[in-house]
Amino acid sequence: MAEKVKLFKTWSSPFGLRVVWALKLKDISYDPIDEDISNKSDLLFQYNPVHKKVPVLLHNGKPICESLTIVEYIDETWRQHPLLPEDTYEKAKARFFAKFSDDKLMPSMWGIFLKEGKEQEESILTAFKNLNFLEANLEGNKFFGGNMIGYLDIALGWLANLVPVLEEISGLKIIDADRFPRLYAWKREFAEDSLIKETWPPHDKMVAKFIAMRQTISGKAPPK
């Protein structure tokens, strides 16, 4: 019996993209279902009643939620192109930095984007400190997974997606070749990978979305 795989996501979500990348690297066919976050479907509420958010992977009728959990599920279910390292220490380290990405790095990057003045300066310092940890962890490898895209590359892939958008809007250079040479090279290699490249949301559409988001959050949205 053919396996049925569906993915509930949005067109712009970096968390949904993690699952898309894992499925594509494994060469798994799936049906994408783009949700309207302002008008979520009953199916999304049914399959993720706890958080009521994307992404949700539906595999033979069984829902799996949370992007990193889904990526691990995909890796354990389909063994081709392993994503997590086989070595137990390296596997633990990849999971640690994936959580670090969501708990520490991402909030500091949002701080650069959303804050102004002294608060923004503090966010920049925090973000650079966090990025230095990743710079050191690359250790001269092409990818965090070595010579192939792996679990941690997928977890950190939002940097290659969102940083160019945030840099354009803010006018700041966050990841450049002088300050973070390894991370800069990784970001370019990841973004230009043939499987990854075809999944990027339109850049101009992303810029417009995040400008509107910042205006709304800061209370500076233009009158309608």
Side-chain angles (χ1 to χ4, degrees), residues 68-69 71-73 75-76 83-103 137 151-153 155:
L68 293 176
T69 302
V71 172
E72 289 205 39
Y73 175 87
D75 199 32
E76 293 175 2
L83 301 175
L84 275 162
E86 185 176 348
D87 180 80
T88 53
Y89 172 72
E90 293 298 326
K91 187 180 297 184
K93 190 164 72 168
R95 287 171 171 154
F96 172 85
F97 276 104
K99 193 172 190 307
F100 167 82
S101 164
D102 288 2
D103 293 350
N137 195 53
Y151 173 83
L152 187 52
D153 300 288

Side-chain angles (χ1 to χ4, degrees), residues 7-197:
L7 174 60
F8 292 81
K9 62 182 185 65
T10 66
W11 70 269
S12 61
S13 168
F15 303 105
L17 272 177
R18 286 173 171 170
V19 184
V20 170
W21 295 331
L23 290 169
K24 282 189 168 292
L25 288 167
K26 297 276 190 177
D27 197 23
I28 304 300
S29 298
Y30 69 99
D31 294 326
I33 302 171
D34 279 340
E35 284 283 330
D36 179 357
I37 292 303
S38 64
N39 184 26
K40 297 177 182 179
S41 70
D42 291 338
L43 283 177
L44 181 60
F45 291 137
Q46 175 185 336
Y47 291 129
N48 190 357
V50 176
H51 298 298
K52 302 179 177 63
K53 64 182 182 180
V54 296
V56 176
L57 184 77
L58 198 64
H59 181 208
N60 292 334
K62 297 178 180 179
I64 305 95
C65 306
E66 298 295 314
S67 62
L68 293 176
T69 302
I70 296 171
V71 172
E72 289 205 39
Y73 175 87
I74 290 170
D75 199 32
E76 293 175 2
T77 302
W78 294 280
R79 295 296 184 176
Q80 66 272 27
H81 191 114
L83 301 175
L84 275 162
E86 185 176 348
D87 180 80
T88 53
Y89 172 72
E90 293 298 326
K91 187 180 297 184
K93 190 164 72 168
R95 287 171 171 154
F96 172 85
F97 276 104
K99 193 172 190 307
F100 167 82
S101 164
D102 288 2
D103 293 350
K104 295 288 187 180
L105 179 57
M106 195 175 287
S108 65
M109 298 292 278
W110 282 122
I112 296 175
F113 178 63
L114 296 174
K115 296 176 181 177
E116 297 178 345
K118 186 172 180 59
E119 287 187 334
Q120 186 188 59
E121 292 175 6
E122 291 173 352
S123 291
I124 291 172
L125 291 175
T126 301
F128 282 177
K129 180 180 178 181
N130 290 332
L131 289 169
N132 272 322
F133 287 122
L134 297 182
E135 178 78 6
N137 195 53
L138 266 170
E139 299 173 350
N141 291 326
K142 183 178 180 181
F143 297 111
F144 287 95
N147 292 321
M148 297 173 60
I149 292 174
Y151 173 83
L152 187 52
D153 300 288
I154 289 172
L156 293 167
W158 63 270
L159 288 169
N161 177 24
L162 293 184
V163 165
V165 173
L166 303 185
E167 287 179 336
E168 179 172 334
I169 295 172
S170 67
L172 299 170
K173 288 302 294 182
I174 301 170
I175 299 178
D176 59 34
D178 292 330
R179 187 182 295 271
F180 303 109
R182 294 175 182 174
L183 202 52
Y184 180 84
W186 166 84
K187 184 167 69 75
R188 185 174 55 191
E189 289 283 355
F190 184 84
E192 291 300 317
D193 181 86
S194 58
L195 282 178
I196 303 298
K197 191 174 183 178

